[in-house]
Every structure is written in C-alpha cells, then in structure tokens.
C-alpha cells in the first residue's frame, strides 16, 4: 500500500496535479486498496482533523501583518534606516538588504513576501551602482531566507501542528540560528564587495542616524513587541499574531499612511488566498499521513537507520542529507507535510530533542528555497528584479555554503536551538 501511495502521488505530480490534490488522490487510492479494512469516512474526517487546531489561527494573522507592513511603507523606512546604519561599509547595499530582512523577519515569517518587498527597490538600486546582477539577486534571496527562521515563522507553526510541540519554544529555537545566518551573510557581502570593488556610500552623521531611526521607529518596534511579548509571557503566540495585525494596521493606515482604507479589502483577499493554500495542504496531508502511519513505515525506517547508527548526531546528519536532496525538488511546506509524519517518530525514538529536531528540519528545508536549480527564491528575485537567473544561481553559492555550515552547527551543538526555549517555563 505504501508503494501504491507514493507511486500514485508522484504520477499525479507528473501529470500536473497540485501537491494537495496529488496527496488526496493517492490517499483515496490507498483507502480503496485497503477495502473493508478502512472506512472511507476517514478521508473527510482526517482532512478536517488536519486543520482543526487553534494554533493555526496564527497563519492568516502573520500573513496579513506581513502584507500590511510591506504595503504600508514600513519596508522603505527600514531600508532608509539600514542605509544610515551601514551605508559607509563597502558593498553597503548588500548589507542593507541583509539588515532590512533581519528586521522584517520578525514580522512576516514568509521568505517570498520579504524577497518581493526588498527586491523591488534594492535590486534596481544595486544595478545602478554597478553591482553584478547575480550578486544583487543572490543577496536578496539570502536575506529573505531569514524570514522563516527568525520568529514569527509560518513553517514553525506548521511543524508545531504536525508534532504537537510548543509554538513559542519553536519560535525561540530559531533566533540564534537566524542571527548566525545574518552575521555570516554580511560577512559574505564584505568579502565579495572587496574582491569586486563594490562601492560604499557616504557615512551618515550621528544626527542623521538618529533621524533615520526615528523615521523607522514604528517599524523597528514591531518585531520587539512580537518577540518580546512572547518571550516574557505578556501574550501567547496566537495573541502576538493578533497584536501584530492591529499594530501594523494602525501604523500603515494612520501613521505612515501608506495604505488607504479602500486597499484593505484587496489585502485581506490576498492574505486569505495565501492562507488557503497552506491550510489546504495541511488538510490534504491528513488522510495521506494517516495511511502512512497505518502502514507502520515509521518503524521500518527506524529499524533501517538503527542498522546504520544509533548516534543521534549521525542520524540527524543522515536525515538532513536526505532532506537537502528533497528540498532541491519539493517546496518546504509540502515536503514537511509529506515526510515529517515519518521523521518525527524517528527522532523521538532516538532521543533527539523535538525542539532541536524542528529547528533543524525547518532550517534545512528553508535552505532548499535558495538551492539551485529550482529554489523558489531564485525565481522570485529573478522575476522581481528582471534579471537573469543563471548569474543568481552562481552568486548564491557562498551564501548557500554558509547556510549549510549553520545547519551543521545546529546538528552537532544542540544548545544553539534548545538554550533559549529552555528559558521559557
């Protein structure tokens, strides 16, 4: 039956079905194959169970908060602030991209949204200052990768739903790896800028920096409110999502006035459509995951890997090598939904901390977003910046190498992902 499930799923993808419909079709064939042993009512029941959880309320709220921020003028103020802070550094616009995305990551939780928001103004600006088109696209894609790692993170919410873990602890687990990624990406920017002699800008006086900080103050406060509120127990993770929407709405409409009230209907529609895609995937995964669990494939995988090694670090390295290959082919959320029902029990049986496991898996699959040849972010920045994708694929390699180094560090040194969550009682 398991072979039937995966063959049917892959054939449906090849024919042209979306991932969600492919999972539903494969699950339906699996139910029919089992005959009287499985009640067909399990199909709709397991689909409903896949999305019937309070924690998923965060998904539409964080998506809407990100849309409001990107359309409401907060992004451009953050870019101006970042230029004031690091404009004097060689290759300054690359550093501006990373710093802007680092702050924006504390709001939207979406890599694609951040790539679009920062790519539109910064890629043309870099090209005007004679940056290579490949580097301009690569640095935007690398910066956008921070969105799903730094809290809030939509993939972390999905992992929490699939594994029954604390969303708050998973959010905290992404902070240190996210900061390591940002620091390394800025290091790559510095090295490339010196080799290629990219320009810097005139240094900004302290008064200019204070002015830029004041202009971007409302935007800079947003991630502090969200992450600080969760960390110190002032709000739950779901309440933080609601606070983010209310805050971004007030700032975008009434303070920065970047959005008119007439635009809210369109923003709500676009946020709802993005939410529907994610929740439909989760619902479609319900019967598929249930049948996989029924086939007891998890135990088979555990026994097989036990035959290779029982060292948790070695097992994590094996799992991550597999997921890196999967991330080159399948987008992160579908990959999580398809494979985590098998991998989560494996991690539990081997004694791997579930929070560390979640952070490592999310980081791994997010790396696939910028992995040539079909990383989604590569195509997004190519489309947004109207640049060739070939040079972007070449110039993304140093950023990709550092991301893999951070991934390995999170595997071999668990405190990077579990120390901050352990501070939350």
């Amino acid at each position: 039956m398991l072979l039937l499930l995966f063959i049917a799923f892959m054939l449906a993808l090849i024919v042209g079905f979306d991932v969600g419909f492919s999972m539903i079709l494969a699950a339906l064939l699996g139910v029919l194959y089992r005959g009287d042993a499985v009640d067909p009512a399990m199909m709709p029941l397991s689909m409903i169970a896949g999305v019937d959880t309070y924690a998923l309320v965060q998904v539409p709220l964080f998506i809407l908060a990100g849309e409001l921020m990107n359309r409401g003028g907060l992004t451009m103020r953050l870019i101006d602030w970042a230029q004031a802070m690091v404009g004097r550094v060689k290759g300054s616009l690359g550093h501006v991209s990373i710093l802007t995305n680092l702050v924006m990551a504390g709001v939207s939780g979406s890599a694609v949204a951040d790539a679009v928001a920062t790519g539109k103004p910064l890629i043309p600006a870099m090209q005007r200052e004679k940056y290579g088109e490949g580097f301009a696209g690569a640095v935007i894609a690398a910066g956008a990768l921070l969105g799903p790692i730094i809290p809030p993170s939509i993939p972390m919410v999905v992992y929490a739903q699939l594994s029954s873990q604390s969303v708050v602890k998973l959010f905290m687990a992404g902070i240190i790896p996210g900061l390591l990624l940002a620091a390394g990406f800025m290091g790559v920017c510095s090295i490339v800028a010196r080799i290629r002699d990219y320009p810097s800008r005139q240094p900004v006086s302290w008064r200019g920096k204070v002015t830029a900080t004041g202009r971007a103050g409302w935007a800079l406060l947003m991630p502090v409110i969200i992450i600080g509120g969760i960390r110190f127990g002032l709000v739950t993770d779901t309440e933080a999502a609601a606070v983010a929407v209310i805050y971004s709405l007030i700032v975008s409409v009434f303070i920065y006035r970047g959005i008119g009230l007439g635009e809210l209907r369109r923003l709500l529609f676009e946020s709802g459509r993005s939410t529907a895609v994610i929740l439909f995937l989760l619902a479609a995964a319900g019967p598929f995951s249930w049948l996989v669990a029924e086939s007891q494939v998890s135990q088979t995988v555990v026994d097989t890997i036990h035959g290779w090694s029982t060292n948790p670090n070695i097992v994590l390295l094996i799992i991550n090598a597999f997921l890196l290959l999967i991330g080159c082919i399948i987008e992160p959320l579908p990959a999580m939904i398809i494979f985590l029902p098998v991998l989560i029990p494996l991690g539990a049986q081997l004694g791997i901390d579930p929070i560390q496991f979640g952070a490592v898996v999310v980081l791994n699959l997010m790396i696939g977003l910028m992995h040539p040849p079909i990383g989604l972010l590569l195509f997004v920045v190519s489309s947004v910046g109207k640049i060739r994708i070939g040079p972007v694929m070449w110039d993304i390699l140093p950023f990709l190498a550092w991301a893999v180094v951070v991934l390995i560090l999170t595997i071999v040194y668990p405190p990077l992902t579990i120390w901050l969550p352990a501070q939350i009682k």
Side-chain angles (χ1 to χ4, degrees):
M1 189 197 71
L2 186 63
L3 185 63
L4 171 67
L5 278 178
F6 281 98
I7 290 176
F9 173 72
M10 295 306 299
L11 286 176
L13 284 178
I14 292 169
V15 169
F17 280 75
D18 288 333
V19 173
F21 288 110
S22 297
M23 285 192 286
I24 291 173
L25 177 61
L28 180 60
L29 292 175
V31 169
L32 294 176
Y33 176 81
R34 293 290 299 272
D36 294 338
V38 176
D39 189 339
M42 283 303 302
M43 283 287 292
L45 290 175
S46 56
M47 289 182 71
I48 293 170
V51 292
D52 186 19
T53 176
Y54 177 66
L56 290 178
V57 172
Q58 297 169 62
V59 174
L61 292 175
F62 280 128
I63 289 175
L64 179 56
E67 288 283 352
L68 288 167
M69 180 177 179
N70 292 337
R71 303 290 181 85
L74 282 76
T75 302
M76 287 308 303
R77 284 170 170 79
L78 285 177
I79 290 174
D80 292 341
W81 168 77
Q83 287 178 343
M85 295 298 113
V86 297
R88 60 185 292 274
V89 180
K90 201 165 187 63
S92 58
L93 287 182
H95 292 84
V96 166
S97 170
I98 301 299
L99 188 56
T100 303
N101 276 289
L102 178 63
V103 177
M104 289 180 61
V107 180
S108 69
S110 169
V112 173
D114 290 352
V116 172
T118 57
K120 283 182 178 178
L122 285 175
I123 291 177
M126 282 189 267
Q127 289 184 295
R128 285 194 297 270
E129 296 191 11
K130 308 303 181 184
Y131 288 71
E133 63 176 345
F135 178 80
V139 74
I140 294 293
L145 185 71
L146 301 173
I149 308 300
I150 301 286
S153 165
I154 292 171
M156 292 288 193
V157 175
V158 173
Y159 177 87
Q161 162 67 8
L162 294 172
S163 62
S164 301
Q165 294 298 316
S166 164
V167 176
V168 176
K169 290 189 175 184
L170 285 164
F171 279 0
M172 295 298 108
I175 291 179
I176 295 177
L179 293 175
L180 285 174
L181 284 173
F185 290 161
M186 294 184 84
V188 171
C189 287
S190 294
I191 294 170
V192 173
R194 291 185 180 279
I195 292 173
R196 299 182 182 178
D197 196 27
Y198 287 150
S200 59
R201 295 194 166 195
Q202 291 295 323
V204 177
S205 66
W206 280 106
R207 177 174 293 181
K209 290 179 180 180
V210 170
T211 301
T213 302
R215 280 174 45 81
W218 292 102
L220 291 169
L221 275 174
M222 194 170 178
V224 175
I225 291 172
I226 294 172
I227 299 172
I230 294 173
R231 167 64 184 85
F232 294 106
L234 301 176
V235 292
T236 66
D237 46 314
T238 307
E239 291 167 348
V243 169
V245 170
I246 295 170
Y247 183 90
S248 57
L249 179 64
I250 292 172
V251 172
S252 298
V253 175
F254 299 108
I255 298 176
Y256 289 159
R257 299 188 179 182
I259 297 176
L261 291 174
E263 295 180 72
L264 289 178
R265 181 177 178 182
R266 179 168 56 85
L267 287 179
L268 288 168
F269 172 77
E270 291 178 0
S271 301
R273 184 170 58 181
S274 298
T275 302
V277 171
I278 296 171
L279 296 186
F280 176 69
L281 280 174
L282 284 172
F288 189 87
S289 301
W290 183 79
L291 284 169
V292 169
E294 279 289 294
S295 70
Q296 297 184 345
V297 68
S298 299
Q299 190 57 49
T300 303
V301 172
V302 169
D303 293 340
T304 302
I305 293 182
H306 265 155
W308 297 340
S309 175
T310 55
N311 185 310
N313 286 340
I314 300 297
V315 171
L316 266 178
L317 287 170
I318 294 170
I319 291 172
N320 277 274
F322 168 72
L323 289 178
L324 281 173
L325 292 174
I326 292 299
C328 297
I329 305 169
I330 305 176
E331 291 182 23
L333 286 181
M336 290 175 66
I337 291 165
I338 294 167
F339 294 104
L340 283 185
V342 175
L343 296 178
I344 289 171
L346 170 61
Q349 289 200 28
L350 293 171
I352 300 171
D353 187 283
I355 300 299
Q356 181 201 10
F357 190 74
V360 167
V361 167
V362 169
L363 175 57
N364 183 309
L365 291 173
M366 294 309 114
I367 290 173
L369 286 172
M370 65 175 190
H371 196 300
I374 59 172
L376 180 60
L377 286 175
L378 304 179
F379 292 92
V380 169
V381 298
S382 175
S383 174
V384 167
K386 297 180 174 59
I387 54 180
R388 294 174 298 160
I389 195 168
V392 179
M393 287 185 180
W394 178 255
D395 281 350
I396 199 70
L397 294 180
F399 297 100
L400 182 63
W402 175 248
V404 173
V405 168
V406 173
L407 175 64
I408 293 172
L409 288 174
T410 60
I411 293 171
V412 300
Y413 190 62
L416 289 177
T417 52
I418 63 177
W419 179 77
L420 271 179
Q423 310 309 307
I424 299 174
K425 305 301 181 184

